[in-house]
Amino acid sequence: MAQALQEIHDFLPCATPQQWIDNALANQDLMLIDHAHCEKKAASTALSLMYRYVDNSDLLNKMSRLAREELRHFEQVLAIIDKRGVSYCHLTPARYAAGLRAGVRTDDPGRLVDVMVVGAIIEARSCERFAALTPFLDEELAEFYSSLLKSEARHYRDYLALAEQANGGPVDERVAEFIATEKQLILEPDSEFRFHSGPVA
């Protein structure tokens, strides 16, 4: 797992700021609610890709597995939320995913390449944040977030492989563009805390 994490740290443009970690620790109920929303959204994205790209068997297999795993994670977060007496509710989404998706091209195969690159970045950042939080969390949550690291790291690699497949070769240029946007979204101050927000003053 250490090697997979190192790979993710090398891929991402920056580490999560300490201020965001402090925000997360001070808002753990909110973090769990938003985490649940993220898992549900990830499953929904995978399913919508399966409907759009019905002739891509590699994508169908990877996204089917990913959707199942994300829904399982959703159920696990929900169980922790219920156990802690937290009310699961609607939240406005972070600007993060929309900020990344703003750069996605509209026509295929460029669209598919970009959607996969964005997926890889989101999964990599989730993995990095789980790892950054784990040392500071209570035993139950630390164990749960540690258990998610392996699947998130695999999802990141799956998305990247599908991007390269759709592109017929390396996607370094597209990755560089989206990574530059991601760095801004992660480092610039945000108005409200979310799992993928920037730091909140």
Side-chain angles (χ1 to χ4, degrees):
M1 194 60 233
Q3 190 184 338
L5 266 176
Q6 187 55 56
E7 189 187 319
I8 278 167
H9 282 292
D10 293 342
F11 174 74
L12 291 171
C14 61
T16 288
Q18 182 59 46
Q19 178 63 50
W20 181 88
I21 294 170
D22 295 343
N23 295 149
L25 298 174
N27 295 280
Q28 290 189 43
D29 291 357
L30 185 57
M31 176 182 76
L32 285 167
I33 294 166
D34 197 48
H35 177 191
H37 283 297
C38 290
E39 298 290 1
K40 190 169 58 171
K41 180 70 185 136
S44 155
T45 298
L47 287 170
S48 68
L49 287 164
M50 289 173 70
Y51 280 105
R52 188 177 178 111
Y53 300 102
V54 291
D55 55 348
N56 186 330
S57 63
D58 201 19
L59 179 145
L60 292 175
N61 279 306
K62 285 189 167 113
M63 290 300 110
S64 175
R65 181 181 180 181
L66 188 143
R68 283 201 310 276
E69 286 186 339
E70 303 290 23
L71 283 174
R72 177 77 189 114
H73 297 163
F74 170 71
E75 291 163 14
Q76 289 172 309
V77 184
L78 214 51
I80 291 171
I81 286 172
D82 289 344
K83 187 177 171 185
R84 295 180 179 217
V86 177
S87 298
Y88 181 60
C89 59
H90 178 74
L91 291 178
T92 53
R95 61 195 172 104
Y96 180 80
L100 284 172
R101 291 199 181 104
V104 170
R105 288 170 287 182
T106 50
D107 297 321
D108 282 318
R111 181 185 184 277
L112 178 57
V113 173
D114 291 354
V115 168
M116 294 295 137
V117 168
V118 167
I121 292 171
I122 294 172
E123 295 289 343
R125 179 59 67 188
S126 299
C127 193
E128 186 262 354
R129 289 204 154 168
F130 290 140
L133 285 166
T134 299
F136 305 103
L137 298 169
D138 62 73
E139 197 178 343
E140 178 188 42
L141 216 46
E143 202 174 294
F144 174 51
Y145 276 11
S146 294
S147 77
L148 296 180
L149 291 173
K150 194 177 282 186
S151 56
E152 301 296 324
R154 190 180 61 255
H155 296 167
Y156 143 76
R157 285 194 295 270
D158 283 348
Y159 270 122
L160 218 47
L162 287 166
E164 288 172 352
Q165 182 195 72
N167 200 47
V171 288
D172 300 353
E173 278 182 29
R174 297 307 291 162
V175 167
E177 276 190 45
F178 284 106
I179 282 286
T181 303
E182 207 260 357
K183 185 175 183 177
Q184 277 185 306
L185 292 164
I186 289 299
L187 296 182
E188 284 177 4
D190 242 314
S191 57
E192 50 189 4
F193 170 79
R194 293 290 183 268
F195 192 83
H196 289 107
S197 68
V200 180

